[in-house]
Amino acid sequence: MGNADTKLNFRKAVVQLTSKTQPIDATDDSFWDQFWSESVTNIQDVFALVPGAEIRALREESPNNLATLVYKAVEKLVKTVDSSCRTHREQQTALNCARLLTRVLPYMLEELEWHSFFWSSLPAAAENESVPLAQSLINAICDLLFCPDFTVASTKRSGPERAEELSSMDSCEYIWAGGVGFARSPARNAQHEAARTELLRLLLTCCSETIYKPAHQAASHHNKWIAYLTSADNRHALPLFTSLLNTVCSYDPVGIGLPYNHLLFADTVEPLVEVALQMLIVALDHDTSNAVSEYSDENLPDNLFINYLSRIHRDEDFQFVLRGVTRLLNNPLAQTYLPNSAKKVALHQELLVLFWKMCDYNKKFMYYVLKSSDVLEVLVPILFHLNDSRADQSRVGLMHIGVFILLLLSGERNFGVRLNKPYTATVPMDIAVFTGTHADLLVVVFHKIITTGHQRLQPLFDCLLTILVNVSPYLKTLSMVASTKLLHLLEAFSTPWFLFSQPHHYHLVFFLLEMFNNMIQYQFDGNSNLVYTIIRKRSVFHALANLPHEHTAIARSLAAARPARPPHRSRSTESVREAAMEGSRPAQPAEPGTLNATLPDTPAITAMTERESAHPRDQLLPQRSGGDGQDGEKEEDHNDNKKRDHKDRKNERHGDSDSRENCLNNKEGWTPTGEWVASWRGRLPLQTIMRLLQVLVPQVEKICIDKGLTDESEILRFLQHGTLVGLLPVPHPILIRKYQANAGTAAWFRTYMWGVIYIRNVDPPIWYDTDVKLFEIQRV
């Protein structure tokens, strides 16, 4: 009963505050202290006893009382820091202030007029007159996050009289977990972890001003909360960054591995890791222009979190971070004999954002990841989530971030080389069974996304095929299953009705032909399965070479438009059930009640990659001056004729780039013409494949007739030992389309990150029912 009475008293204080239209005196401590007394002991109570509607009413009708409430709460936090938060009562007061501020702040941040309020000075405490309210709050939170006997274990002698002064102690001694830059691993303490979680949740709420900006403003908006938190003015920037990173990367959900132990004991680490990971990726969100606004010369301070992240360089630190990230990424995929016996965590979306930022800000880390097979520990969970999410409309964002990461990695030669490692199926995926490498897994999953995903994934097709083209020169042995999948894609994409239905569809054919050319020119010896499949499906290439471009033929193709049929299967793959092209299949609905955050449009592949295309496409990639195609990855013959031909092809593209742009801008009213088809049909890179068919088809037919073969294994053996040296055209240069940072993906990642954080914070629902503008929340 006593607990119910104290909650009732707290509720009465809230009603009293919201019902009074006259300002309540700031010196009336007996009234204000009711809000952080020991009346409530958890954040769920605060959210239940302080309804959002009443906070809004208070903001509109009694703004002075709301301002005083926040001032007094921040002042109380500052005072607990000044007294070093030594007693249990002070610690409870600090937590209750944090809970109340976590509840109230989103309703203030949603109103633009209140933003400047936080950057005004505290009315009391003359010595702090120049310190804005937001800075006082962040300073107090950061001090409390390294408070001995409250959030960290004291290394000094215990007792209130021996406590260190928070304002002067070195917080680097109190980093929460061992790892990067800190060798010692402090003992775990559930109470300390719970206190850190609540304070970090408040810090995350403070930094959420971004979600109340419309998408077109968010790119140029500079979040002063994040800027101050990550600046040199925050003396805890280094230990806080290290603590967040180490807490995430040292977390092992399985622990000592006792079955069902997560059901027997409350885990205070998972909530801490979750909010620490969210706080870390938010603090690393950064606009490189560094100007406060276009109308101001004032610059923001350097983001020290990004600075520290970019300076990590020791192999053991890279290994610690990579092992931590891959452990958590692979955790949901682990199979156990006893169902649900091991703890599963759902941190994969935030982990992928962190991995992206680490690769983006620290190139040494990315090269470290790529120089060993550990990159496959990242690849497999990404492919698992891509395959698992392909038909779920609420997980489009997860699909995009997985593809963006693979696009980034595929720009490096080592990624393609690593894909040749054999894949042993240990992850449950509903894909065709195959024996082969990780490259085969990549092809099979991409094929499944394209053929059985939903229509909202179509903007990703260019990205998926760009990844395959980037890795294709290094793939040594593609399996029969993967080879058949690739030819199935070409067959579907090259049907006249599909090619003529949209002005950009023919680009997909160019990508696939370039991939085949790369593998024939550079990896012919090991890819007999692919060569055999190309020979079997030679009619597809002949049809492409003779594609009709007369007006009547185009009209006839469009009139007969229907989903592409799956290609005929060979005996070696007849167990593989080919699905029809279903790019227009509607997405399956998510579970009822699922929240879904909207996302910006997918940036075009032209904006995301920086390399000239190896095949002549209408300005698909930005023009670069000089020897643009000459890249460090190339393996080419430096002869003048080829350079001249390459330059000529580039010049040809200038002519129809404008018309392509107009086509894309007017898709609804666009109709294909014979001139349009002729403009790109003659540039299809078919020479290498046609030459291969010209040489090998007669040889294969002769063997079949002479030996009366009905089994393809003999043909494959012949192809394995064959060679086309000197018979094919001069090898073309390997041109890798590397990812390049751009405003489109920066805006996309910011929106996606905050959408994930919004939806993951439902207990308590920090931002629920507030007027979010960065994205729309749809209840599925």
Side-chain angles (χ1 to χ4, degrees), residues 44 274 595 757-768:
Q44 284 75 18
E274 186 176 317
L595 294 178
I757 291 172
Y758 178 103
I759 289 167
R760 298 263 291 131
N761 282 276
V762 291
D763 184 26
I766 299 176
W767 299 281
Y768 182 74

Side-chain angles (χ1 to χ4, degrees), residues 213-435:
K213 297 284 182 185
H216 66 276
Q217 290 180 15
S220 57
H221 166 67
H222 291 274
N223 191 318
K224 292 169 79 173
W225 296 85
I226 298 175
Y228 180 75
L229 176 70
T230 59
S231 72
D233 293 330
N234 176 13
R235 69 189 186 89
H236 299 290
L238 176 58
L240 181 58
F241 166 79
T242 310
S243 294
L244 295 175
L245 184 63
N246 290 354
T247 297
V248 171
C249 295
S250 63
Y251 178 47
D252 185 357
V254 178
I256 56 175
L258 292 175
Y260 302 107
N261 64 336
H262 62 289
L263 302 178
L264 303 176
F265 307 103
D267 183 7
T268 51
V269 186
E270 186 184 353
L272 173 62
V273 170
E274 186 176 317
V275 72
L277 179 52
Q278 291 170 0
M279 190 64 246
L280 183 59
I281 59 178
V282 163
L284 291 169
D285 187 32
H286 178 61
D287 193 318
T288 50
S289 63
N290 232 33
V292 171
S293 77
E294 56 186 312
Y295 309 108
S296 168
D297 292 333
E298 181 188 353
N299 281 343
L300 287 171
D302 286 340
N303 185 320
L304 291 184
F305 278 45
I306 293 176
N307 193 337
Y308 297 143
L309 183 66
S310 65
R311 283 163 47 192
I312 297 173
H313 63 279
R314 297 191 311 165
D315 277 5
E316 51 266 44
D317 289 340
F318 288 152
Q319 179 63 21
F320 168 75
V321 172
L322 182 59
R323 193 188 300 118
V325 170
T326 54
R327 182 194 305 121
L328 294 175
L329 275 179
N330 284 281
N331 167 263
L333 284 56
Q335 296 290 290
T336 51
Y337 290 108
L338 299 171
N340 303 316
S341 62
K343 185 176 179 64
K344 301 290 175 71
V345 293
L347 301 169
H348 49 277
Q349 298 190 87
E350 297 98 316
L351 284 165
L352 291 177
V353 175
L354 176 63
F355 182 79
W356 172 272
K357 289 184 178 295
M358 289 208 64
C359 289
D360 195 20
Y361 294 133
N362 192 325
K363 295 303 178 199
K364 288 181 181 175
F365 173 74
M366 185 169 76
Y367 298 139
Y368 175 84
V369 172
L370 288 165
K371 78 179 182 183
S372 73
S373 293
D374 289 341
V375 68
L376 303 176
E377 296 293 306
V378 178
L379 171 72
V380 172
I382 287 177
L383 292 179
F384 168 82
H385 289 300
L386 290 180
N387 183 62
D388 195 47
S389 311
R390 70 184 187 280
D392 185 345
Q393 62 180 354
S394 67
R395 293 196 276 177
V396 174
L398 176 56
M399 296 289 298
H400 278 70
I401 187 172
V403 172
F404 289 163
I405 288 174
L406 295 182
L407 178 65
L408 176 71
L409 296 177
S410 73
E412 304 298 329
R413 177 183 178 277
N414 272 353
F415 181 68
V417 173
R418 298 291 161 224
L419 290 177
N420 291 305
K421 185 176 180 182
Y423 173 71
T424 51
T426 55
V427 176
M429 284 197 235
D430 59 330
I431 56 172
V433 178
F434 66 89
T435 303

Side-chain angles (χ1 to χ4, degrees), residues 101 143 175 307 537 610 614 652 668 673 694 708 740:
L101 288 169
D143 282 336
I175 288 169
N307 193 337
K537 306 300 288 184
E610 64 178 4
E652 284 175 24
E668 299 305 321
T673 64
Q694 185 185 359
Q740 65 173 1

Side-chain angles (χ1 to χ4, degrees), residues 24-27 32 36 63-73 117:
I24 301 171
D25 191 349
T27 59
W32 296 111
W36 30 85
N64 285 339
N65 288 343
L66 178 59
T68 307
L69 176 68
V70 174
Y71 273 136
K72 296 294 286 184
F117 163 79

